[in-house]
Amino acid sequence: MSELFDAVDALVASRSVLPPPVERKRLRVAHGLTIDEVATALKVRRATVSGWEAGKTEPRPPEREAYARLLDKLAELYPATPADAAAPVQDAVVPATFTGELAPAPEVRTAAPVSGAAAVTAAGNTQTGNTQPAAASRPARTARPLPSSASRGPAEGKAVPANTLAGGTDSRFENGPLAVVDVDADGQVLAYCVGGLVLDVPAKSLPALVEWTLREARLGAPKLSGPGKDADPLLVLTASALKRYGLPVALSDEERHAGRLPEDHKVIKQLVRAEWKLTKRGLGPWARIYRPATGSDRQCVQLCIPSWNALDPRSWGHAGQLPPSELARVLGVYASRVMTPRGSTAVTGLELMTALHPPTRASEPDADGRRRSEHNPGSLGKDPVDCAPCEAPDGHPLLADLPRFHVRGPGEKLFEEAYDWARPMTDDECTLRYLVGIDVNMAFAAGANGLNVGLGAPTHVKNPVFDPKLPGSWLVDLSHVDLARVRVGKDKWADLDASLLPSPFTPTGERPQGPAWYATPTVAYAQEFGYEVRPLEAYVRYDNGRYLDGWYQRLRDAFLATMADLGVHADMEPADFLTAMDGYKERDPGLAIVVSAVKATVKGGLGKLRERPRGEGWKPGQPWRALARPTWRPDIRAAVISRTRINLHRKVVKHAAFTGQYPVAVLSDCVVYAADGTSPLDFLPYRDGKPLPGGFKLGINPGLVKHEGTQSVLWGEEVRERFNAPELNLARYIKDGQVTGKDSGE
């Protein structure tokens, strides 16, 4: 009889009444329980509890009765209110070190199992990895919304609030753009996605992992432009994942030099047998595994391998050492605000240009209703164009006929580079106490904004009339331009000490000695001084446009949004801005990594426009791989650098004319002044909180300046005396004051 009673009890328990899925989660969160704690108590997997709360699966006996008992107890402690029915439930946990204003907590999604073997878990804490404590062990904190200055639209140049850790709205990519694949202590392969999502990975080999990613993982990102392509899913393989899939944790010296594994490696043979292909860069730190596309169906997965130095510390800091969940968060923020990484930050910067301006688009339907691929206006096209001879770097095939050891001078070579200039301090400056450095935010991005650049091939013109709106390279003599008297307004002129200013026409700041090649912004600046310019010849580009505007805007918005998350907002008062910038990286080290990566994307992307040969047996006079890209455009790089240098010089001149203060040193986007105080406010001419029009302004927007560092005047004089270099560029060391013999040229 007892067996019959047990059977009846089990039958009743199998139909235990459970609250709706949303209520289940509300009750758990209200009591401060994590999914892991509930799963441990019920002796089930975390994915199981996640599925119950999402309403994708229902508990079965004997767990159902125990789960119903838990929820009944919690319902007694936390009865539902009308507000609970309307408000979404979130596991809102923020970084323990964050002290500034917080963005809204990311929505934690619980995805449905995409197959019986691929259960999905929603991890409540986006910070929690295998090595970090559970969220419930931290003090409860409530996320506060961003201040209004960070919630304006991108058109106003403000930080844009974005749920950067949540997956996209496209159902094909509901689990986000990427995943960090790791193996836990129990030997289970897990894929950590953005938003705290964790996927169980059933794949036993690398080919199977690629198949699973494309068929079941729902990873990727929508295209950034109408004619463009969706971003391929990115898998980041940790050291434990490399071991699981038969790959080395570190490359050998020979493999590191080659940048890839040898073709006879067993894993590459596995891929070949499964009919997968690798791009020309092979299976290296950044690898692309694909099958040829059939129509619009792309089958491609990208790999990122941090232990093979995929995440260069110069751009990504210590990202390669982060736990899987935090690495997924950092890369996810970057992917949502910039784009899914396609390689190094330099490669990604270049790929972003193409993603925003794809080379081709679909034509209008013809008589038969068919569409063809045609040139996309405003893009660089799909075919590379030759540069002008003056724009070609040494060793270019256009220069193959030059004598072997010929050194091209300014009259043969366009040399638009960033400033590296310094001068001895005057007696008056030596009586001051400090050297204060200011740095232009995103200077090269700001230089690209609104810049008209060439889109097609150059046209050679003799004795042209200079047109400041026509992009190109101009051979012109600017040696007669005198900085002693400059125009600082429509009808205003100022007398300056030209010996204390760098020339705007050369990177070294020295006055040019005769005809030289310049980009359009440099020649146009000479006209601003009221001088006539008469070019001898030019290579101009009649097909032109503001190709980099969208690129600048996306990187600007990414930078501002991430800085806003770190407590530094646009339109702050100068003193508040300096305070907010003090120690901002410590508030959230992960987001600080994103800021660094965004900056590196700007500089690296522009550098890629004139990529030089990278080994591969290249010899001078022969083409190298980068020349086959439509985005190999040294003229665009030169124009951006020219405009950036001119923008900086214009501010230096305005500052000198208004205050009588001259820079001691300039290095790229950093300027050093002597002052009586340690702060930029001790020498920047603010009046009633307003800066000098056209001069330096403190702020986080690109083109505005921040405090780079302060050292004493005695430090500067001692360093120059120690190295017997009265014109040693102190801007290079102003940040931390550390100078080495190698840095100083010894």
Side-chain angles (χ1 to χ4, degrees):
M1 185 65 69
S2 62
E3 293 179 0
L4 292 176
F5 287 166
D6 291 342
V8 170
D9 291 342
L11 186 61
V12 172
S14 69
R15 299 295 188 270
S16 296
V17 179
L18 297 173
V22 174
E23 178 67 3
R24 301 170 195 175
K25 184 172 183 178
R26 185 192 72 81
L27 292 171
R28 173 180 63 79
V29 173
H31 201 60
L33 298 176
T34 65
I35 291 178
D36 294 285
E37 289 174 321
V38 174
T40 300
L42 299 179
K43 298 181 180 179
V44 296
R45 298 171 65 247
R46 59 191 302 193
T48 303
V49 177
S50 179
W52 295 346
E53 290 188 355
K56 303 299 183 181
T57 59
E58 287 295 315
R60 299 178 179 178
E63 292 84 7
R64 185 181 181 94
E65 182 179 16
Y67 189 44
R69 181 180 177 86
L70 169 65
L71 296 176
D72 287 342
K73 293 285 187 182
L74 295 178
E76 293 176 4
L77 296 173
Y78 309 100
T81 65
D84 293 328
V89 181
Q90 295 182 349
D91 294 329
V93 179
V94 297
T97 58
F98 193 91
T99 58
E101 292 291 336
L102 303 176
E107 178 186 359
V108 179
R109 299 176 296 108
T110 306
V114 290
S115 74
V120 183
T121 300
N125 182 6
T126 62
Q127 295 276 15
T128 303
N130 293 337
T131 60
Q132 296 184 351
S137 65
R138 297 179 180 176
R141 298 181 65 178
T142 303
R144 300 189 299 276
L146 284 170
S148 58
S149 64
S151 61
R152 299 172 186 168
E156 299 176 277
K158 311 300 178 185
V160 182
N163 191 356
T164 57
L165 300 183
T169 56
D170 193 321
S171 60
R172 297 172 300 160
F173 313 125
E174 64 180 354
N175 294 334
L178 55 89
V180 180
V181 181
D182 187 49
V183 181
D184 66 12
D186 297 328
Q188 175 65 44
V189 182
L190 302 174
Y192 292 81
C193 306
V194 298
L197 198 67
V198 181
L199 307 178
D200 285 339
V201 181
K204 304 298 183 183
S205 66
L206 188 60
L209 178 64
V210 175
E211 293 276 5
W212 171 83
T213 302
L214 294 172
R215 294 178 182 273
E216 304 182 20
R218 298 177 187 171
L219 296 173
K223 56 190 176 183
L224 297 180
S225 175
K229 299 177 181 178
D230 296 329
D232 298 318
L234 172 64
L235 296 181
V236 184
L237 304 183
T238 66
S240 61
L242 293 174
K243 293 179 182 178
R244 170 61 61 91
Y245 293 119
L247 294 167
V249 173
L251 297 177
S252 67
D253 291 341
E254 183 178 351
E255 292 165 347
R256 188 166 55 252
H257 179 72
R260 68 186 73 188
L261 292 180
E263 295 297 324
D264 60 354
H265 192 278
K266 62 179 182 180
V267 174
I268 296 181
K269 291 181 178 179
Q270 290 175 1
L271 291 170
V272 172
R273 285 196 297 269
E275 298 182 345
W276 288 105
K277 296 180 180 293
L278 289 162
T279 57
K280 290 183 179 180
R281 59 182 173 184
L283 186 49
W286 292 92
R288 299 187 70 80
I289 303 173
Y290 72 99
R291 286 182 180 137
T294 55
S296 61
D297 181 25
R298 285 174 57 83
Q299 297 187 67
C300 184
V301 172
Q302 183 168 256
L303 301 184
C304 167
I305 305 177
S307 65
W308 295 3
N309 200 36
L311 301 176
D312 191 330
R314 292 172 296 180
S315 303
W316 291 100
H318 64 284
Q321 285 73 53
L322 292 174
S325 59
E326 179 65 7
L327 180 55
R329 171 183 177 249
V330 168
L331 293 176
V333 171
Y334 179 90
S336 65
R337 294 180 175 176
V338 179
M339 70 178 298
T340 304
R342 295 287 303 270
S344 66
T345 51
V347 170
T348 304
L350 197 68
E351 291 289 341
L352 180 61
M353 297 179 194
T354 303
L356 293 169
H357 287 285
T360 60
R361 67 178 183 181
S363 68
E364 293 296 325
D366 59 17
D368 298 327
R370 297 179 179 177
R371 296 178 183 268
R372 300 180 306 277
S373 176
E374 65 178 14
H375 173 70
N376 183 27
S379 74
L380 298 182
K382 63 179 182 178
D383 299 317
V385 297
D386 284 335
C387 62
C390 63
E391 298 163 352
D394 294 338
H396 192 279
L398 288 175
L399 311 176
D401 293 336
L402 289 179
R404 182 177 180 185
F405 297 106
H406 178 74
V407 178
R408 294 187 294 160
E412 299 173 278
K413 179 179 180 180
L414 178 70
F415 192 63
E416 294 283 11
E417 299 294 340
Y419 267 129
D420 187 352
W421 170 87
R423 62 169 176 81
M425 283 186 278
T426 65
D427 293 341
D428 289 341
E429 288 168 340
C430 288
T431 64
L432 302 176
R433 299 177 61 188
Y434 298 103
L435 295 172
V436 183
I438 52 176
D439 180 80
V440 181
N441 296 313
M442 302 271 284
F444 294 97
N449 182 33
L451 179 64
N452 204 32
V453 300
L455 301 178
T459 299
H460 187 213
V461 183
K462 286 284 190 178
N463 298 314
V465 176
F466 176 70
D467 182 354
K469 297 181 180 179
L470 185 61
S473 300
W474 310 79
L475 180 62
V476 59
D477 189 352
L478 300 180
S479 60
H480 62 290
V481 178
D482 188 3
L483 299 182
R485 184 168 176 78
V486 298
R487 178 182 291 165
V488 293
K490 185 176 180 180
D491 296 314
K492 295 182 180 180
W493 293 79
D495 294 323
L496 302 178
D497 187 343
S499 66
L500 301 180
L501 285 172
S503 167
F505 308 126
T506 64
T508 61
E510 298 177 357
R511 189 166 179 168
Q513 299 301 310
W517 286 98
Y518 302 101
T520 297
T522 303
V523 185
Y525 189 54
Q527 280 192 330
E528 287 186 28
F529 286 102
Y531 288 89
E532 183 181 9
V533 293
R534 294 181 179 179
L536 303 175
E537 60 178 304
Y539 288 90
V540 296
R541 289 171 169 83
Y542 296 110
D543 179 14
N544 54 69
R546 293 167 59 161
Y547 174 72
L548 295 174
D549 275 11
W551 183 79
Y552 159 77
Q553 290 161 9
R554 187 159 182 88
L555 290 166
R556 174 204 64 190
D557 290 348
F559 175 70
L560 292 179
T562 310
M563 290 301 296
D565 289 344
L566 288 165
V568 184
H569 308 287
D571 295 337
M572 278 182 155
E573 292 299 318
D576 295 337
F577 167 70
L578 292 175
T579 301
M581 286 294 293
D582 187 18
Y584 76 92
K585 294 182 179 180
E586 283 70 41
R587 294 176 198 145
D588 189 327
L591 290 183
I593 291 174
V594 176
V595 171
S596 173
V598 171
K599 293 179 180 179
T601 303
V602 173
K603 291 188 176 181
L606 294 173
K608 277 283 185 179
L609 291 170
R610 198 191 67 160
E611 183 177 1
R612 303 301 305 275
R614 304 177 64 183
E616 301 177 344
W618 175 82
K619 295 180 180 179
Q622 296 179 345
W624 57 93
R625 184 184 301 180
L627 299 186
R629 295 195 320 251
T631 50
W632 192 84
R633 293 296 301 272
D635 57 298
I636 296 180
R637 172 187 176 273
V640 173
I641 294 176
S642 165
R643 191 163 187 244
T644 302
R645 192 182 69 245
I646 294 307
N647 286 346
L648 184 60
H649 191 273
R650 187 181 287 111
K651 289 180 171 62
V652 166
V653 167
K654 284 287 183 72
H655 186 86
F658 190 81
T659 67
Q661 298 170 332
Y662 295 84
V664 172
V666 183
L667 180 68
S668 187
D669 48 9
C670 177
V671 187
V672 176
Y673 284 92
D676 267 330
T678 60
S679 168
L681 289 175
D682 291 315
F683 69 92
L684 293 182
Y686 274 82
R687 287 187 176 180
D688 299 324
K690 296 182 179 180
L692 170 67
F696 295 110
K697 177 183 177 181
L698 289 167
I700 196 58
N701 279 297
L704 306 188
V705 299
K706 65 178 184 297
H707 184 204
E708 178 70 2
T710 297
Q711 305 295 330
S712 69
V713 168
L714 291 178
W715 165 85
E717 289 297 278
E718 187 275 330
V719 166
R720 286 177 164 177
E721 183 177 345
R722 187 198 325 165
F723 295 109
N724 192 26
E727 296 183 359
L728 180 70
N729 197 327
L730 299 175
R732 182 173 280 109
Y733 319 108
I734 195 70
K735 189 169 188 176
D736 56 15
Q738 299 298 314
V739 185
T740 65
K742 180 179 179 181
D743 292 335
S744 63
E746 274 200 343

mmCIF file of all heavy atoms in Angstrom, residues 418 441-449 551 602-603 606 640-641 644-645 668-669:
data_model
loop_
_atom_site.group_PDB
_atom_site.id
_atom_site.type_symbol
_atom_site.label_atom_id
_atom_site.label_comp_id
_atom_site.label_asym_id
_atom_site.label_seq_id
_atom_site.Cartn_x
_atom_site.Cartn_y
_atom_site.Cartn_z
ATOM 1 N N ALA A 418 53.503 63.973 -38.465
ATOM 2 C CA ALA A 418 53.156 64.694 -37.238
ATOM 3 C C ALA A 418 54.385 65.419 -36.698
ATOM 4 O O ALA A 418 55.534 65.093 -37.032
ATOM 5 C CB ALA A 418 52.610 63.718 -36.193
ATOM 6 N N ASN A 441 42.671 65.286 -27.668
ATOM 7 C CA ASN A 441 41.903 64.043 -27.712
ATOM 8 C C ASN A 441 41.632 63.623 -29.155
ATOM 9 O O ASN A 441 41.163 64.434 -29.955
ATOM 10 C CB ASN A 441 40.556 64.211 -27.003
ATOM 11 C CG ASN A 441 40.694 64.483 -25.535
ATOM 12 O OD1 ASN A 441 41.440 63.808 -24.833
ATOM 13 N ND2 ASN A 441 39.978 65.478 -25.051
ATOM 14 N N MET A 442 41.929 62.362 -29.459
ATOM 15 C CA MET A 442 41.591 61.802 -30.771
ATOM 16 C C MET A 442 41.972 62.777 -31.889
ATOM 17 O O MET A 442 41.189 63.077 -32.798
ATOM 18 C CB MET A 442 40.102 61.504 -30.831
ATOM 19 C CG MET A 442 39.604 60.536 -29.766
ATOM 20 S SD MET A 442 39.696 58.823 -30.269
ATOM 21 C CE MET A 442 38.305 58.735 -31.382
ATOM 22 N N ALA A 443 43.198 63.289 -31.822
ATOM 23 C CA ALA A 443 43.611 64.372 -32.719
ATOM 24 C C ALA A 443 43.483 63.984 -34.187
ATOM 25 O O ALA A 443 42.993 64.760 -35.014
ATOM 26 C CB ALA A 443 45.052 64.779 -32.406
ATOM 27 N N PHE A 444 43.912 62.778 -34.545
ATOM 28 C CA PHE A 444 43.892 62.385 -35.950
ATOM 29 C C PHE A 444 42.477 62.069 -36.419
ATOM 30 O O PHE A 444 42.150 62.260 -37.591
ATOM 31 C CB PHE A 444 44.837 61.209 -36.177
ATOM 32 C CG PHE A 444 46.282 61.567 -35.946
ATOM 33 C CD1 PHE A 444 46.901 61.293 -34.732
ATOM 34 C CD2 PHE A 444 47.012 62.209 -36.926
ATOM 35 C CE1 PHE A 444 48.221 61.643 -34.506
ATOM 36 C CE2 PHE A 444 48.341 62.565 -36.716
ATOM 37 C CZ PHE A 444 48.940 62.287 -35.500
ATOM 38 N N ALA A 445 41.644 61.593 -35.509
ATOM 39 C CA ALA A 445 40.233 61.418 -35.866
ATOM 40 C C ALA A 445 39.602 62.771 -36.151
ATOM 41 O O ALA A 445 38.865 62.937 -37.130
ATOM 42 C CB ALA A 445 39.493 60.697 -34.739
ATOM 43 N N ALA A 446 39.900 63.763 -35.289
ATOM 44 C CA ALA A 446 39.373 65.107 -35.509
ATOM 45 C C ALA A 446 39.889 65.684 -36.821
ATOM 46 O O ALA A 446 39.173 66.412 -37.524
ATOM 47 C CB ALA A 446 39.747 66.020 -34.342
ATOM 48 N N GLY A 447 41.137 65.353 -37.173
ATOM 49 C CA GLY A 447 41.697 65.828 -38.441
ATOM 50 C C GLY A 447 41.000 65.223 -39.649
ATOM 51 O O GLY A 447 40.975 65.823 -40.725
ATOM 52 N N ALA A 448 40.416 64.031 -39.465
ATOM 53 C CA ALA A 448 39.714 63.375 -40.570
ATOM 54 C C ALA A 448 38.301 63.897 -40.747
ATOM 55 O O ALA A 448 37.717 63.768 -41.829
ATOM 56 C CB ALA A 448 39.678 61.865 -40.329
ATOM 57 N N ASN A 449 37.737 64.491 -39.713
ATOM 58 C CA ASN A 449 36.349 64.924 -39.743
ATOM 59 C C ASN A 449 36.131 66.058 -40.745
ATOM 60 O O ASN A 449 36.767 67.117 -40.654
ATOM 61 C CB ASN A 449 35.924 65.389 -38.351
ATOM 62 C CG ASN A 449 34.471 65.799 -38.299
ATOM 63 O OD1 ASN A 449 33.636 65.233 -39.004
ATOM 64 N ND2 ASN A 449 34.161 66.773 -37.469
ATOM 65 N N TRP A 551 33.383 57.204 -40.645
ATOM 66 C CA TRP A 551 34.428 56.535 -39.851
ATOM 67 C C TRP A 551 34.726 57.343 -38.594
ATOM 68 O O TRP A 551 34.776 56.797 -37.489
ATOM 69 C CB TRP A 551 35.660 56.396 -40.735
ATOM 70 C CG TRP A 551 36.833 55.685 -40.167
ATOM 71 C CD1 TRP A 551 37.003 54.331 -40.063
ATOM 72 C CD2 TRP A 551 38.030 56.271 -39.651
ATOM 73 N NE1 TRP A 551 38.236 54.052 -39.523
ATOM 74 C CE2 TRP A 551 38.891 55.228 -39.258
ATOM 75 C CE3 TRP A 551 38.456 57.586 -39.495
ATOM 76 C CZ2 TRP A 551 40.145 55.456 -38.716
ATOM 77 C CZ3 TRP A 551 39.709 57.822 -38.958
ATOM 78 C CH2 TRP A 551 40.538 56.771 -38.571
ATOM 79 N N VAL A 602 42.049 54.321 -34.424
ATOM 80 C CA VAL A 602 42.192 55.537 -35.220
ATOM 81 C C VAL A 602 43.584 55.606 -35.835
ATOM 82 O O VAL A 602 43.747 55.703 -37.066
ATOM 83 C CB VAL A 602 41.933 56.787 -34.357
ATOM 84 C CG1 VAL A 602 42.261 58.052 -35.144
ATOM 85 C CG2 VAL A 602 40.489 56.820 -33.881
ATOM 86 N N LYS A 603 44.601 55.572 -34.998
ATOM 87 C CA LYS A 603 45.969 55.730 -35.503
ATOM 88 C C LYS A 603 46.384 54.566 -36.395
ATOM 89 O O LYS A 603 47.009 54.763 -37.440
ATOM 90 C CB LYS A 603 46.931 55.879 -34.324
ATOM 91 C CG LYS A 603 46.765 57.189 -33.572
ATOM 92 C CD LYS A 603 47.860 57.391 -32.533
ATOM 93 C CE LYS A 603 47.737 58.747 -31.855
ATOM 94 N NZ LYS A 603 48.804 58.989 -30.863
ATOM 95 N N LEU A 606 44.667 54.679 -39.910
ATOM 96 C CA LEU A 606 45.301 55.663 -40.794
ATOM 97 C C LEU A 606 46.679 55.186 -41.238
ATOM 98 O O LEU A 606 47.089 55.403 -42.388
ATOM 99 C CB LEU A 606 45.401 57.012 -40.086
ATOM 100 C CG LEU A 606 44.066 57.701 -39.788
ATOM 101 C CD1 LEU A 606 44.281 58.937 -38.928
ATOM 102 C CD2 LEU A 606 43.347 58.067 -41.085
ATOM 103 N N VAL A 640 45.187 63.662 -43.899
ATOM 104 C CA VAL A 640 44.724 63.661 -42.508
ATOM 105 C C VAL A 640 45.817 64.184 -41.576
ATOM 106 O O VAL A 640 45.560 65.010 -40.695
ATOM 107 C CB VAL A 640 44.287 62.244 -42.084
ATOM 108 C CG1 VAL A 640 43.976 62.212 -40.584
ATOM 109 C CG2 VAL A 640 43.069 61.793 -42.873
ATOM 110 N N ILE A 641 47.046 63.721 -41.764
ATOM 111 C CA ILE A 641 48.145 64.179 -40.912
ATOM 112 C C ILE A 641 48.404 65.662 -41.134
ATOM 113 O O ILE A 641 48.637 66.416 -40.171
ATOM 114 C CB ILE A 641 49.413 63.347 -41.190
ATOM 115 C CG1 ILE A 641 49.192 61.895 -40.760
ATOM 116 C CG2 ILE A 641 50.615 63.942 -40.471
ATOM 117 C CD1 ILE A 641 50.346 60.977 -41.071
ATOM 118 N N THR A 644 45.721 67.590 -39.338
ATOM 119 C CA THR A 644 45.893 67.489 -37.892
ATOM 120 C C THR A 644 47.000 68.415 -37.413
ATOM 121 O O THR A 644 46.858 69.109 -36.397
ATOM 122 C CB THR A 644 46.208 66.030 -37.501
ATOM 123 O OG1 THR A 644 45.152 65.175 -37.960
ATOM 124 C CG2 THR A 644 46.356 65.891 -35.998
ATOM 125 N N ARG A 645 48.114 68.438 -38.138
ATOM 126 C CA ARG A 645 49.233 69.310 -37.762
ATOM 127 C C ARG A 645 48.851 70.781 -37.893
ATOM 128 O O ARG A 645 49.182 71.605 -37.029
ATOM 129 C CB ARG A 645 50.450 68.992 -38.629
ATOM 130 C CG ARG A 645 51.751 69.623 -38.138
ATOM 131 C CD ARG A 645 52.928 69.326 -39.037
ATOM 132 N NE ARG A 645 52.801 69.990 -40.320
ATOM 133 C CZ ARG A 645 52.664 69.343 -41.481
ATOM 134 N NH1 ARG A 645 52.654 68.023 -41.516
ATOM 135 N NH2 ARG A 645 52.547 70.025 -42.623
ATOM 136 N N SER A 668 53.649 65.213 -31.930
ATOM 137 C CA SER A 668 52.397 64.684 -32.459
ATOM 138 C C SER A 668 51.222 65.526 -31.971
ATOM 139 O O SER A 668 51.003 66.625 -32.453
ATOM 140 C CB SER A 668 52.246 63.213 -32.064
ATOM 141 O OG SER A 668 51.126 62.637 -32.690
ATOM 142 N N ASP A 669 50.470 65.049 -30.985
ATOM 143 C CA ASP A 669 49.300 65.775 -30.492
ATOM 144 C C ASP A 669 49.490 66.304 -29.077
ATOM 145 O O ASP A 669 48.518 66.664 -28.414
ATOM 146 C CB ASP A 669 48.056 64.881 -30.558
ATOM 147 C CG ASP A 669 48.305 63.498 -29.960
ATOM 148 O OD1 ASP A 669 49.375 63.296 -29.353
ATOM 149 O OD2 ASP A 669 47.440 62.623 -30.106
#
